[in-house]
Amino acid sequence: MKKLIAGNWKMNGNLAANEALLRDIAAGLPAQPACAVAVCVPAPYMAQFKAMVAAVPVLSGIDLGAQDVSSQQSGAFTGEVSAAMLKEFGCRYAIVGHSERRHYHGETDAVVADKAKAALAAGITPIVCVGETLAEREAGQTGEVVKRQLAAVIHTNGHCISEIVLAYEPVWAIGTGKTATPEEAQAVHAVLRTQLKAATDQVARVKILYGGSMNASNAASLLAQADIDGGLIGGASLKAPDFLKIIAAANA
Ligand code: PGA
């Protein structure tokens, strides 16, 4: 399966910094990357991304993603951005259920499942994040937690589950510099793959990304694992040389 390397810029950047970052990435992007590449940018910068693709054609090899999407279609939901709006700006992906959304914005498993559904209905691939906290890992609950989070998305999305991208992001590894070892990550990915297999006969289509302090030096060993089909990259996606090294590791 073709790997996917997706950058998650989070709430970082500005017009000048984004332009420099994208130009640097474009300059180092292999002509025909063997992996798929995406950047999930803050919503106000989607138009900038589109304009830059027109100016720097190599960037058309990078797909655009959002960092969140509303579960609602339209109406009185101040501050929300609908899947249809994202689609108008050429978004191919939308991250849903990132642990920062679950934690700071109180998003429940059911809300995350509804967001995935709204994305799919608009033709956007949701990148559904699951992952345990440090306390949950230490209590031996990792499998139970990620299975509960994924079960909600399977329940709401039925056979469409084969259309999602899944991302395992242990909360304790996000932005901390602590990475799950390749073996730890692979073990959870295998659990998730088994759960997906029971839900769809199209499991071979579902990419399962790893996220949480993936960087230029640990990417290759993580991406070498049987069930790790790519990465969701936060901090390292803001530095062109690092992001390019991760793309190169996925191409190897
Ligand atoms: P990180 O973030 O790579 O900075 O740990 C990953 C993520 O939160 O998606």
Side-chain angles (χ1 to χ4, degrees), residues 8 10 95 98-100 129 169 173-177 211-214 232-236:
N8 172 12
K10 309 196 179 184
I95 298 172
H98 191 281
S99 65
E100 287 148 18
C129 301
E169 296 209 312
I174 295 175
T176 57
S213 297
M214 190 187 268
L232 184 55
I233 325 292

Side-chain angles (χ1 to χ4, degrees), residues 182-206:
E183 295 72 25
E184 282 171 337
Q186 165 57 30
V188 179
H189 281 234
V191 166
L192 294 169
R193 182 90 65 202
T194 302
Q195 189 178 2
L196 285 169
K197 215 175 265 176
T200 172
D201 54 10
Q202 301 287 313
V203 67
R205 300 178 50 172
V206 185

